Amino acid sequence: MKKWKKIGITLLTALTMTGALTACGSAKKDNASSDGDVTLRFWWWGNDDRHQATLNMIKNFEKENPDTKIKAEYVGFGSLEEKVTTMLTGGEATTPDIIQLDRAQVARFSPDGDGFYDLSKIKEIDLSTYDEEFLKTGQFNGVQNGIPLGKNVVSVLFNKTAFDKLGVEIPKTWDELKEAAAKFPDGSYPLVLPTPRFGTGIYLQQMTGETEFDEKGNMNYNKEDYKAALKWYMEMVDAGAFNSRKDYLENVGTEPVSLAQNAKFIKGEYAGVLEWTGGIAGNEQALKDADQELIVADMLKNDDAKGAFSIAKPTFLLAISKFEKNPEQAGKFVNDFINGKEANEILGVTRGVPASKDAAQTLIDADMIQGAVKQGYEYSQNVESLNETVFYEDATLQTILSDALENMELNGLSLDDATDYVYTKTQEQAEKLKSTYKLN
């Protein structure tokens, strides 16, 4: 699960935000200046490292394209939904020309594919550098509304040093993980699942060969499927393969924080984590600082699995306003951003490893992708994965599963009652989300 650390916004960022809000109040957007140059607004969010790298990339682009000016508008991680909603519901005057959004946001504002520009119609943008199937994560109603900047895949990260210290082989299957757990001392675990739903989700994908929901948000699993997943999860907890919810709540808590900041993880007592590949760098650095080695393992799967079938999603989508008056110039900038050699040497991995094969190779050749981050990139390119529906990470869906597991463990809720709860509540929430995202 990708976790973001909130970072204070610099004075420069704050001033930029003020400028952005002022722009939102203007009566009409006019991109052309009196001398014929074009000015495009580019909005994104992130931390200070991402901001600075993007500003440097913009400066380089403007040097190579003197007739196009890019107005940078960027913010931190706070109140993103409110900011995005304000921008995109204000019409042409408030919508930036080029926008970094997550997949769910693009889906919410363009369920029919008409909320943003069709990027496949801009000849300046080269999409041949992308995997065709993964490129579909930016398509809505068949329209290429967004370009995925990176590929985020749920992965298994192990502290190799902790396993070596105990003389335990790195497991390759869920059953081997249970066997490895028997060699771990009390209070230590070979794998921690910050989001239990990813564990049960991957297990069911492996056993059925299907995602939990189809592209229209309809459920693919029946009640017996959910029962099997809950039973499997509790068996893994009982074997000590996963830490219990009680242990997790006591030692990590309920706030969405990275395990890289957790003492038990740094000490090797949490010897593995189920994590998005986008979160590898922070976890690797935390262990490196403690003289330990993090590795990216193959996705665990038992012999009866139909495939590894991890969960994949785009890190971000880059979109262009449906009101765009200068698609050629906007297309040149977007193409430089996703494919440009110098551009990506400047951007580095501030948005993760790029999904564009050309951009990723640029960083590999420049030796900017190393260690576990490189392992994670190679893993994400090769692992069998399935693209879940846009609402898969919905907070309510995650809570439904966690509540059931906690009540089974702490309050004696029966497997049958937990199954009824998960199936019924998931069905109800999925129907609401189908309406919200207009998937019917």
Side-chain angles (χ1 to χ4, degrees):
M1 175 175 56
K2 182 75 174 284
K3 303 299 181 187
W4 294 106
K5 180 180 179 183
K6 292 185 179 180
I7 299 178
I9 301 173
T10 61
L11 177 60
L12 177 60
T13 306
L15 290 173
T16 305
M17 288 172 61
T18 303
L21 291 173
T22 301
C24 289
S26 61
K28 185 179 180 181
K29 182 167 67 175
D30 187 357
N31 298 64
S33 63
S34 58
D35 57 9
D37 289 349
V38 169
T39 297
L40 302 172
R41 294 167 54 202
F42 175 32
W43 186 94
W44 75 90
W45 79 85
N47 57 25
D48 287 345
D49 288 346
R50 183 182 298 165
H51 296 331
Q52 191 56 60
T54 308
L55 291 171
N56 291 341
M57 178 268 166
I58 288 172
K59 184 177 180 180
N60 185 69
F61 175 82
E62 290 179 334
K63 181 181 177 181
E64 296 180 350
N65 299 270
D67 61 339
T68 305
K69 308 299 178 186
I70 305 297
K71 182 181 179 182
E73 301 176 2
Y74 51 100
V75 297
F77 296 103
S79 304
L80 278 175
E81 286 304 313
E82 292 88 337
K83 292 167 185 171
V84 168
T85 299
T86 298
M87 283 193 311
L88 299 183
T89 57
E92 182 177 359
T94 61
T95 303
D97 298 276
I98 304 159
I99 322 164
Q100 170 192 301
L101 298 167
D102 66 33
R103 187 177 178 224
Q105 289 166 338
V106 178
R108 183 155 59 93
F109 289 98
S110 189
D112 299 320
D114 57 0
F116 297 93
Y117 211 97
D118 184 352
L119 302 177
S120 67
K121 298 186 180 304
I122 302 179
K123 61 181 175 52
E124 287 76 15
I125 301 177
D126 180 10
L127 297 178
S128 67
T129 61
Y130 279 79
D131 173 77
E132 287 187 15
E133 191 63 28
F134 189 62
L135 196 58
K136 292 179 182 178
T137 61
Q139 295 176 7
F140 300 89
N141 196 30
V143 180
Q144 196 73 52
N145 279 159
I147 301 174
L149 295 182
K151 187 175 184 179
N152 223 355
V153 181
V154 176
S155 58
V156 180
L157 311 182
F158 283 129
N159 181 337
K160 186 175 183 298
T161 307
F163 275 80
D164 288 347
K165 185 178 179 181
L166 295 171
V168 180
E169 294 288 327
I170 298 296
K172 296 181 179 180
T173 69
W174 297 111
D175 288 341
E176 287 181 8
L177 184 71
K178 289 168 67 175
E179 294 170 6
K183 301 177 182 179
F184 274 71
D186 290 343
S188 295
Y189 304 91
L191 194 63
V192 175
L193 278 62
T195 306
R197 181 170 158 75
F198 289 167
T200 58
I202 290 173
Y203 176 76
L204 282 176
Q205 289 188 170
Q206 292 179 348
M207 299 310 294
T208 66
E210 294 184 305
T211 56
E212 184 172 12
F213 307 98
D214 65 20
E215 61 182 12
K216 293 295 185 182
N218 301 307
M219 293 173 66
N220 282 327
Y221 302 153
N222 58 36
K223 189 178 290 188
E224 288 303 308
D225 292 327
Y226 285 104
K227 184 175 183 177
L230 289 169
K231 182 175 182 290
W232 168 80
Y233 191 97
M234 294 305 296
E235 288 174 349
M236 298 296 284
V237 170
D238 291 341
F242 303 158
N243 66 332
S244 65
R245 293 305 297 166
K246 180 176 183 292
D247 176 89
Y248 190 85
L249 294 172
E250 289 177 350
N251 291 288
V252 182
T254 58
E255 290 300 313
V257 296
S258 170
L259 276 189
Q261 305 167 28
N262 186 271
K264 294 193 72 166
F265 179 74
I266 295 170
K267 291 177 182 177
E269 294 174 9
Y270 288 164
V273 59
L274 203 65
E275 172 69 285
W276 290 110
T277 49
I280 289 175
N283 287 289
E284 180 183 31
Q285 189 60 52
L287 293 189
K288 188 179 293 185
D289 290 344
D291 296 321
Q292 298 174 79
E293 180 185 0
L294 182 79
I295 63 169
V296 181
D298 290 334
M299 177 52 66
L300 302 170
K301 64 174 182 177
N302 288 338
D303 293 337
D304 55 350
K306 298 182 185 301
F309 295 151
S310 184
I311 299 167
K313 70 171 184 177
T315 50
F316 309 102
L317 294 181
L318 207 59
I320 291 178
S321 168
K322 67 178 180 180
F323 305 110
E324 187 53 53
K325 299 293 195 298
N326 301 282
E328 178 181 346
Q329 288 85 348
K332 283 183 178 179
F333 177 78
V334 167
N335 191 65
D336 192 42
F337 197 94
I338 63 173
N339 292 320
K341 183 176 186 298
E342 285 187 57
N344 278 278
E345 287 176 345
I346 295 169
L347 292 169
V349 292
T350 54
R351 287 176 174 81
V353 178
S356 160
K357 295 185 178 86
D358 285 1
Q361 192 60 51
T362 291
L363 299 189
I364 291 171
D365 292 344
D367 207 24
M368 297 174 71
I369 304 177
Q370 302 177 336
V373 174
K374 185 176 182 181
Q375 293 175 26
Y377 169 70
E378 292 170 348
Y379 160 84
S380 69
Q381 299 305 299
N382 297 309
V383 69
E384 298 167 296
S385 58
L386 299 175
N387 299 322
E388 274 285 2
T389 183
V390 292
F391 61 65
Y392 183 76
E393 289 186 88
D394 175 67
T396 298
L397 291 176
Q398 295 189 35
T399 300
I400 289 168
L401 194 283
S402 295
D403 284 350
L405 292 171
E406 287 170 19
N407 277 285
M408 289 177 73
E409 180 188 321
L410 303 176
N411 299 319
L413 183 68
S414 71
L415 176 60
D416 285 339
D417 287 344
T419 300
D420 287 341
Y421 173 81
V422 170
Y423 181 76
T424 302
K425 293 297 182 182
T426 298
Q427 194 172 43
E428 291 174 356
Q429 182 64 7
E431 288 301 315
K432 292 178 183 178
L433 293 169
K434 283 166 60 177
S435 175
T436 298
Y437 289 98
K438 299 181 180 179
L439 297 179
N440 293 321

